[in-house]
Amino acid sequence: MSSLNWLKYEVVLHWIAVAVYIAASVIFTYSLFFKNGKVIRHAFLLTVIGLIPHSIALLVRWIEQSHGPYMSRYEVLSSDAWVIAIMFLIFSLKWEKIRAAGTIILPIVFLMIAVALFRNPEMHNLPPSLRSIWLVMHVTFAKLAAGAIIISFGAAVLFLLKEKKETKPIFSKFPSLELLDEYSYKFAGFGFVFWTINIAAGSIWAEASWGRYWGWDPIETWSLITWLMYGIYAHLRLFWKWRGKKSAVALVVCFVMSLFTIFILPFAAKSLHSQYFVS
Amino acid sequence: MKNKMKKILLSRSTGLILIVFIAMLSLIGVNIPQVSDSSPSFINGWKESHQLLAPIISQLHFDRMFSSEIFIAVVFLLFLAMSFSVWNLFTSARKKIAKQNLRFSEKSFKNYFSFISQDDNSVKNVLDTLAGRGYSLKNLSQGKYLFRKYGFSQWGGFILHLGMLIIVAAALYTFLFEKRGFIQILERDTFFGNSEEFLSTENGIFASPFVPNFNITLEKLTPDYYPGGNLKFVESSILVSNQAGTRTPGLLSINNPYKFGGVNIYQSTSFGYTVCLLLNKNGKDIPTYFSLEHADKLGNPFTGISDFPTTDYIFKMEFSPDINGSSFSLNQPSLRLIVEEKGITQFNGTIKPGESIQLGDQKLTFVDIRHWSGLILTENQSVIFIFLGFGLIVLGLISIYVFPMREIYFAVEKNENTLRLSLGGKAVREPQQFEEEFRSYIESIYLKESFTNVQSELVEI
């Protein structure tokens, strides 16, 4: 089958995934607003079902172009969304109460794929400098970091919503404020770990490829600044005892910074990284 | 004064302020064109459009921000502050680990549970439950037990900051002593290791001139392309000769550097063909080499524009090797050449290797064509420490966030025929999640036991 035919199937599979994720988002929201705890399982199941066409679409692309999904906006956004959905499911299995964050996370997931679908899905060859195992590590951990950060953001937003109108019955199904606060911190911590490994892997790759582990490229610099911001957030929590609202707001600020670094800057700045995010 | 200075450096606020300061300087650095990665014409254009700002930027050396005195000074201060902080973290972690206090009361805990049991196996059941949940006994005295899980995470903060300190130290070393140079080398040609042979260098502030103590001869450059014509791979086959004259063959490609005598040799993505032209002027031969850059895709010609030394000629060249069949002369390499002199075209046509053309009363011969390869040479002993630092940071972060420490105190009091058992637990990080865990331990103990007189359960303090 020609690449063009594969591409058609892949786009259709992506749209199916979007439709299922939208349904899951609606049910997540319904379960919270109508206090129907059983329904949240259906939303969870729908997310799993949505992952099937999504995974097949990415796998087909991977096989067809002989490299992972990290060469164009289309595949970067779609694969990031996939990682976020997978991480959300895994974490939800371990910490059941985090499922409420699906109301925030699933819309982010389907919006990312929808935005990707309006980009050029053309396949690209890997340039010589990208043919490295360290690139795979670098990209994998960047995606994991994005997933953990979005989950922590989801928990922080739920905290802020609940904290503002705690008395309203809508919010009674949310986990307790203390738990939301702790989850947001915990997942920010995971994001921090993954972000560190992402920077380290990128640095090792840069050393092997260009003979320098750090080049002050705009995205490298912003990535460092974002990492430092998460470090400051951790210190504020631990030593200045920032908890609750202050901590959630600080986390939202960190999230905006990471969003800028991961999703906006590569498309806007003249950077060594942006040439690989071809449109 | 000394103590005050030490106090300021030790303060967490100082560390955070320095980090914020570095972040701000970095932001300035990425938003102002840097001399190291912008062309002189771009820099001049920027200066002309920012006439107020440009002199201040130049004065502060912010146009080479990451090697500027201010930036290095701030990084150095951070290094000092972190050194103190790392020492503090080490002593505090040591104290915390050593602290195995068995004096406790129910008021010490948010999570506290106490009950009366008549079964002598109760104590064993509790100990088994805690052992099964990964807790290890740290202290035992007169019926009082201290259990700990993930105690090693107390070292997390120290390990994390030690990693950062090592990275900052290695980065400072790089700023000051790294040696780095770029060479363009022709096939069958030799780089003799002189500092003047580098096309460009980026050495640290205190680095001596870069003089590798070996020669490099480029045997062959091999580019490879994808079926669509995009570049897939570039490999240089080299011969390295040390001062004793021993020749060692080596292969290097992008992402696979070659190491020799403490110097790393990297393949850059910059490569192409060198055209050798010979101009016979007044009976004298003037040979000149023109380096042409490779095109984005296979099939497109290698191009270049250059003046011809000692003449007014401007040469515009498009070289097509025969390998792709797109040569102007079928299956043969050919050079499409336009020669201009003071704006007037003197020649516009195609020549093949070995052919000559007439330029006025002078003869121009296309003598030779060879590949050239762009190689980057670096000497920096600190790289291994950067990676060691990263490893420590990751280790520290994992121990902090993935394995937060938990402590459980267990006390047994004997009263005639009964036992009073008390359990108290605490976790500094994630107390809410620990509360749930603690509850599950108690439930687990409940399932094993039939207790009487449960005194209190998860008392809020």
Side-chain angles (χ1 to χ4, degrees), chain B residues 15 29 91 114 125 148 158 174 199 202 227 247 251 287 305 379 382 398 422 424:
Chain B
T91 49
S114 176
N125 282 345
R148 208 173 261 167
F158 163 70
T174 303
L199 217 61
E202 280 176 59
R247 287 154 75 91
L251 271 180
I305 299 176
E379 194 181 292
S382 72
I398 288 175
S422 307

Side-chain angles (χ1 to χ4, degrees), chain B residues 192 213-217 239-249 260:
Chain B
F192 292 100
N213 54 358
F214 54 81
N215 301 344
I216 303 169
T217 304
L239 267 180
V240 185
S241 320
N242 63 11
Q243 284 172 328
T246 313
R247 287 154 75 91
T248 316
F260 190 88

Side-chain angles (χ1 to χ4, degrees), chain A residues 236-257:
Chain A
L236 289 174
R237 256 192 92 94
L238 196 63
F239 300 111
W240 277 266
K241 303 292 171 203
W242 278 32
R243 295 283 191 280
K245 192 178 177 182
K246 273 205 280 190
S247 167
V249 171
L251 203 51
V252 170
V253 172
C254 289
F255 172 76
V256 172
M257 297 272 294

Side-chain angles (χ1 to χ4, degrees), chain A residues 95 97 125-126 128-129 131 178 182 185-186 189 192 196 204 207 209-211 213 216 221-222 234 239, chain B residues 12 26-27 30 66 174 180 226 230 232 254-255 266 387 390 393 397 401 429-433 436:
Chain A
W95 298 286
K97 287 183 178 165
N125 295 128
L126 276 186
S129 53
R131 290 159 54 87
E178 291 80 8
E182 230 171 81
Y185 172 65
K186 188 179 185 77
F192 196 34
T196 311
I204 295 170
E207 172 64 28
S209 194
W210 300 291
Y213 53 81
W216 298 108
T221 310
W222 271 97
F239 300 111
Chain B
R12 282 192 192 98
S26 305
L27 274 183
V30 291
F66 303 108
T174 303
R180 183 184 174 86
Y226 288 105
N230 288 329
K232 183 180 181 183
I254 293 169
N255 290 322
Y266 298 87
F387 302 142
F390 272 128
I393 290 178
L397 283 173
Y401 287 104
R429 292 174 200 266
E430 304 178 353
Q432 288 295 314
Q433 287 168 68
E436 286 184 17

